[in-house]
């Protein structure tokens, strides 16, 4: 997975919002009060949501790969230091191995030190580039260990075990959360089935029955309202799923896109 910079995320949001706004304004000026207007509203929401969702997912996978390879890196450092190497030499030796997405960042750090950058600044630069929770916790410990000297491998060994246990706990947490994410999806599909059945068994049949003195929605009006409700339900259900599953609202954008697509397909081919 490639690294996604913060400025790339900002640009994707700006471009997506501008394109979605252009689609919305165009639909409003040309297709207002037509059935196609609602579909263009849907497309504008997808245009705003889809590119940031893809970039956020790629960035999540990249950072996850970084965290998963940290224990391997620390084990390599411990093995190198047991042979008598200093900490910078151990890092240089460890950079020759493969650690997934972490390899490139580690080699950048080693290159900086070869150019004369102090070890502490190179570590801080690595932490800023990677910007994951585990690196922000471990880099200060590495810096302090390099300052104190002594048997630094006694610091890296328990640190690697701590990171491994943290990753294991995170995996267990995600496993426990999955049923709740499934409930969100099931609830949305139940919502779709309910409004489809209500539309076909009530509004369509009632349209053929003359009712004196009673205002009732036409099938087209009912379909339009249900379509708007499904868009709102899909978008916010996805955000809730992301917050529950990965701890951030932005992580729910991919769930929102999936639910939006399912809702659109259901309305397009079943109503």
């Amino acid at each position: 997975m490639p690294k996604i910079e913060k400025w790339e995320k900002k640009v994707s949001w700006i471009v997506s919002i501008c394109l979605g706004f252009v689609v919305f304004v165009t639909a409003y000026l040309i297709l207002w009060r037509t059935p196609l207007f609602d579909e263009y509203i849907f497309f504008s929401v997808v245009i705003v949501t889809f590119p940031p969702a893809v970039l956020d997912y790629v960035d999540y996978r990249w950072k996850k790969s970084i965290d998963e390879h940290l224990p391997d890196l620390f084990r390599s450092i411990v093995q190198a230091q047991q042979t008598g190497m200093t900490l910078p030499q151990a890092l240089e030796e460890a950079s020759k191995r493969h650690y997934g997405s972490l390899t490139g960042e580690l080699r950048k750090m080693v290159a900086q030190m070869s150019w004369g950058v102090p070890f502490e600044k190179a570590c801080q630069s690595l932490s800023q580039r990677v910007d994951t929770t585990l690196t922000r916790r471990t880099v200060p410990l590495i810096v302090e260990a390099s300052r104190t000297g002594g048997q630094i491998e006694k610091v890296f060994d328990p640190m690697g075990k701590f990171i491994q246990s943290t990753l294991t706990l995170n995996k267990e947490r995600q496993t426990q959360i999955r049923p709740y994410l499934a409930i969100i999806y099931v609830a949305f599909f139940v919502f779709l089935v309910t409004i489809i059945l209500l539309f076909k068994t009530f509004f369509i049949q009632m349209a053929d029955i003359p009712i004196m003195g009673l205002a009732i929605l036409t099938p087209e009006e009912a379909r339009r309202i249900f379509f708007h409700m499904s868009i709102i339900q899909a978008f916010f259900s996805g955000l809730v799923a992301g917050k529950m599953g990965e701890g951030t609202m932005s992580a729910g954008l991919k769930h929102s896109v999936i639910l939006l697509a399912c809702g659109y397909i259901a309305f397009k081919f079943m109503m």
Side-chain angles (χ1 to χ4, degrees):
M1 288 288 180
K3 180 183 179 181
I4 305 299
E5 302 289 347
K6 291 182 179 179
W7 67 267
E8 292 177 324
K9 290 184 177 182
K10 293 180 180 179
V11 169
S12 70
W13 272 111
I14 294 173
V15 174
S16 299
I17 291 174
C18 291
L19 291 176
F21 181 74
V22 169
V23 172
F24 173 79
V25 172
T26 303
Y28 180 80
L29 296 176
I30 299 175
L31 302 173
W32 176 247
R33 297 185 183 279
T34 64
L36 285 177
F37 176 73
D38 292 333
E39 293 194 17
Y40 274 83
I41 295 298
F42 166 80
F43 290 135
S44 66
V45 173
V46 172
I47 289 172
V48 172
T49 309
F50 184 73
V54 173
L55 292 183
D56 185 84
Y57 178 72
V58 172
D59 185 59
Y60 167 76
R61 291 294 301 272
W62 184 82
K63 290 184 176 181
K64 183 179 179 181
S65 176
I66 293 285
D67 289 339
E68 288 177 347
H69 286 88
L70 282 177
D72 298 331
L73 172 62
F74 289 152
R75 280 193 293 268
S76 299
I77 293 174
V78 171
Q79 293 172 0
Q81 286 191 310
Q82 288 175 347
T83 63
M85 294 183 181
T86 62
L87 181 54
Q89 291 173 341
L91 283 170
E92 184 177 358
E93 182 65 25
S95 66
K96 299 177 182 178
R97 303 180 183 180
H98 182 68
Y99 303 102
S101 302
L102 183 60
T103 305
E105 300 300 325
L106 184 60
R107 290 174 180 173
K108 288 180 183 179
M109 177 182 173
V110 173
Q112 287 178 334
M113 291 189 296
S114 66
W115 297 336
V117 177
F119 175 76
E120 294 182 11
K121 290 186 178 180
C123 287
Q124 293 171 355
S125 178
L126 173 67
S127 177
Q128 291 173 357
R129 289 196 309 270
V130 174
D131 194 29
T132 67
T133 302
L134 289 178
T135 54
R136 288 195 298 268
R137 292 176 180 175
T138 55
V139 165
L141 297 177
I142 295 174
V143 172
E144 290 299 326
S146 67
R147 289 175 180 173
T148 57
Q151 295 180 336
I152 304 178
E153 62 271 13
K154 291 185 178 180
V155 177
F156 282 93
D157 187 39
M159 192 184 303
K161 294 179 180 178
F162 164 74
I163 293 176
Q164 189 63 54
S165 63
T166 301
L167 293 174
T168 302
L169 290 174
N170 287 336
K171 290 181 180 179
E172 292 178 356
R173 173 184 170 275
Q174 291 179 352
T175 302
Q176 294 173 353
I177 290 295
R178 283 175 185 171
Y180 298 98
L181 298 181
I183 289 174
I184 293 177
Y185 276 82
V186 170
F188 178 73
F189 290 130
V190 169
F191 169 77
L192 287 179
V193 172
T194 302
I195 60 178
I196 290 173
L197 292 176
L198 181 63
F199 177 78
K200 289 186 175 182
T201 59
F202 181 76
F203 286 99
I204 291 181
Q205 295 181 6
M206 291 297 292
D208 299 329
I209 301 175
I211 303 177
M212 300 298 297
L214 179 61
I216 189 171
L217 293 174
T218 64
E220 187 60 35
E221 292 173 340
R223 184 184 184 279
R224 188 174 186 181
I225 292 174
F226 288 151
F227 185 64
H228 293 170
M229 292 170 60
S230 68
I231 292 177
I232 296 172
Q233 178 78 7
F235 182 77
F236 288 103
S237 295
L239 296 183
V240 172
K243 184 65 176 178
M244 292 177 59
E246 299 169 25
T248 60
M249 299 287 282
S250 60
L253 292 175
K254 59 181 176 291
H255 298 290
S256 296
V257 171
I258 294 173
L259 294 176
L260 284 168
C262 293
Y264 177 77
I265 292 173
F267 274 84
K268 191 70 174 178
F269 297 102
M270 300 183 68
M271 290 183 67

